[in-house]
C-alpha cells in the first residue's frame, strides 16, 4: 500500500490527480534501491541521480523517467551518474545505439558549454540586427516590421538556451565558466551582462504590448511572443549608472560651459544609459533634460533622474487623459474616473472588458463629439456605425499602451 501510494503521488493519479494544488502531499525527493526506477510517469521528475551501474534496457527505462517536459522550468530531464562514470558512458552509448537504431536524433539536450556558446552567438546576431537598423545601445526597437520579427525569433531562441543554462548551473553573477574534458580545457565568457539582457527584454515587452493592441497607435502583427517572458520584471534594471551620469552632467552644466565639448560628451553618456528606460520614459527624460539645459527647471538636491522621469510621466499621462476626455466625454468627471481606473489595473486586450468595465467607459462617450473628432482627423464624413468602431479602437489603444497623444 505504501509503494502504491508513492507511485500515485509521483504519477499524479487517483487519489492525487490534483496534487499540483496541494504541495504538502507532493514528494520532493525519492531514494530507491531496486524498484521504482520504472513504471511511473511524472512531469515533475527533473533530475535522476544514479549511484549504480545499469545496462541496456535498464538504462533506457530509468532515464525515460525524466522524459516528460514541463514548461520553461523543465525543458529537458537531467541525468547525473556517479558510479564508474566511464563504464556508464560506454553502457549509455551501447544502449542508445541498440535501441535508437544508431540514430539518436533529439535524444540529448545541449550541455552548458554549448548553451553558453549559443547565447553568445545569438547575442551577436541581435547586436548586429540593431546596429544595421542604426540603433545604439538597444535604446529602441527597429522600425522595420521584418527586423522586429527577426528580433522576436532570435530573442525567443536566446531564452530557450538561457533557461536550459540556468538549470545546468548558469547564473548572471558569474560571467566566465571553465570546462575540462578529456581533450582540452576551455573557458567561455558570456558577452552580455544581466543589465543588457533586461534592456533587450524591455524592448521585447514593448513589442509585445504593441502587437497586442490594434488600431490607433498600435500594431496588429502576429509576432511569436512568448507570454512567460512578458511577465519577467524589468524593474530590476540598475539605475545607479544612469543617476551617476546625471550627476556628472549637472556638475558639467553648472560650470557654465553649456555648449562645451565636455557637456556634449556627458549628454552622450547620459543618453546611452537611457536604453534601460521604456520608450515613453526616454521621451520624458529627454524633455526633462531640455528643460534643465534651457534653465526652465531648477534641479532639487537629492532628487534622482528616475524621480524626475516618473514625475514628468505622471504629468504627461494626465495631459493625455485630459485631452482625450475633452475630445470624447459626455460627462468629463465620470469618463476620466473610469479611464483612470482601467489604466491602473494592468489591462490587456483579453481582459479589458472584464466586469463590463470597458463597455461602461464607452457608454460615457459623446457620439457627436467623437464623430466630429474622427471626421476632422481623417478628413472625411463617417457613419454612426463607424464612429462606434473608431471609439473602440482608440480607447483600446489608449488604455493598453498606457496613453497616446490625440
Amino acid at each position: 500500500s505504501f509503494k502504491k501510494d508513492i507511485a500515485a503521488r509521483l504519477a499524479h493519479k487517483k487519489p492525487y490527480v490534483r496534487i499540483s494544488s496541494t504541495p504538502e502531499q507532493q514528494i520532493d525527493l525519492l531514494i530507491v534501491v531496486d524498484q521504482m526506477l520504472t513504471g511511473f510517469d511524472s512531469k515533475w521528475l527533473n533530475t535522476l541521480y544514479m549511484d549504480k551501474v545499469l545496462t541496456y534496457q535498464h538504462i533506457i527505462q530509468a532515464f525515460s523517467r525524466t522524459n516528460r517536459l514541463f514548461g520553461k522550468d523543465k525543458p529537458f530531464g537531467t541525468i547525473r551518474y556517479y558510479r564508474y562514470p566511464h563504464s556508464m558512458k560506454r553502457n549509455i552509448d551501447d544502449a542508445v545505439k541498440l535501441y535508437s537504431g544508431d540514430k539518436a536524433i533529439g535524444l540529448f539536450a545541449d550541455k552548458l558549454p554549448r548553451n553558453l556558446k549559443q547565447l553568445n552567438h545569438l547575442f551577436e546576431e541581435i547586436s548586429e540586427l540593431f546596429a544595421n537598423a542604426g540603433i545604439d545601445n538597444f535604446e529602441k526597437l527597429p522600425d522595420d516590421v521584418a527586423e522586429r520579427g527577426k528580433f522576436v525569433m532570435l530573442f525567443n531562441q536566446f531564452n530557450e538556451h538561457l533557461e536550459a543554462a540556468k538549470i545546468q548551473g548558469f547564473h548572471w553573477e558569474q560571467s566566465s565558466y571553465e570546462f575540462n574534458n578529456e581533450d582540452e580545457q576551455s573557458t567561455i565568457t558570456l558577452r552580455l551582462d544581466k543589465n543588457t539582457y533586461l534592456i533587450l527584454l524591455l524592448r521585447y515587452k514593448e513589442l509585445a504590448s504593441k502587437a497586442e493592441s490594434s488600431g490607433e497607435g498600435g500594431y496588429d502583427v502576429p509576432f511569436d511572443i512568448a507570454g512567460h517572458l512578458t511577465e519577467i520584471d524589468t524593474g530590476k534594471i540598475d539605475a545607479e549608472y544612469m543617476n551617476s551620469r546625471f550627476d556628472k552632467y549637472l556638475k558639467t552644466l553648472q560650470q557654465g560651459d553649456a555648449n562645451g565639448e565636455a557637456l556634449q560628451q556627458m549628454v552622450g553618456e547620459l543618453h546611452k544609459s537611457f536604453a534601460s528606460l521604456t520608450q515613453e520614459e526616454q521621451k520624458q527624460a529627454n524633455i526633462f533634460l531640455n528643460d534643465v539645459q534651457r534653465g526652465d527647471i531648477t534641479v532639487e538636491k537629492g532628487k534622482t533622474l528616475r524621480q524626475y522621469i516618473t514625475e514628468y510621466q505622471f504629468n504627461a499621462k494626465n495631459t493625455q487623459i485630459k485631452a482625450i476626455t475633452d475630445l470624447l466625454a459626455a460627462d468629463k468627471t465620470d469618463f476620466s474616473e473610469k479611464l483612470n481606473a482601467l489604466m491602473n489595473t494592468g489591462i490587456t486586450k483579453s481582459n479589458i472588458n472584464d466586469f463590463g468595465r470597458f463597455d461602461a467607459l464607452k457608454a460615457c462617450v459623446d457620439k457627436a463629439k467623437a464623430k466630429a473628432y474622427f471626421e476632422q482627423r481623417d478628413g472625411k464624413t463617417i457613419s454612426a456605425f463607424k464612429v462606434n468602431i473608431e471609439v473602440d479602437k482608440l480607447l483600446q489603444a489608449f488604455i493598453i499602451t498606457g496613453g497616446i497623444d490625440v
Side-chain angles (χ1 to χ4, degrees), residues 14-55:
K14 290 182 179 181
Y16 301 108
V17 175
R18 294 180 176 81
I19 195 172
S20 59
S21 59
T22 54
E24 68 277 2
Q25 293 183 326
Q26 297 169 13
I27 294 175
D28 298 313
L29 177 67
L30 180 68
I31 301 174
V32 305
V33 180
D34 291 319
Q35 299 183 29
M36 300 208 71
L37 274 177
T38 62
F40 72 92
D41 187 21
S42 177
K43 63 185 177 183
W44 295 317
L45 181 55
N46 193 314
T47 306
L48 179 67
Y49 301 87
M50 302 242 346
D51 193 33
K52 65 191 301 183
V53 177
L54 299 179
T55 58

Side-chain angles (χ1 to χ4, degrees), residues 226-238:
H228 71 275
L229 295 179
T230 64
E231 296 172 3
I232 299 175
D233 181 16
T234 49
K236 299 176 182 177
I237 299 178
D238 188 4

Side-chain angles (χ1 to χ4, degrees), residues 295-310:
D296 293 342
I297 186 171
T298 302
V299 178
E300 299 176 31
K301 187 176 181 180
K303 197 168 181 178
T304 66
L305 177 55
R306 168 62 76 174
Q307 288 174 312
Y308 277 110
I309 293 171
T310 302

Side-chain angles (χ1 to χ4, degrees), residues 37 50 52-56 58-59 62-63 87-88 91-92:
L37 274 177
M50 302 242 346
K52 65 191 301 183
V53 177
L54 299 179
T55 58
Y56 293 112
H58 301 295
I59 286 177
F63 285 13
S87 298
M88 272 298 294
N91 291 354
I92 292 168

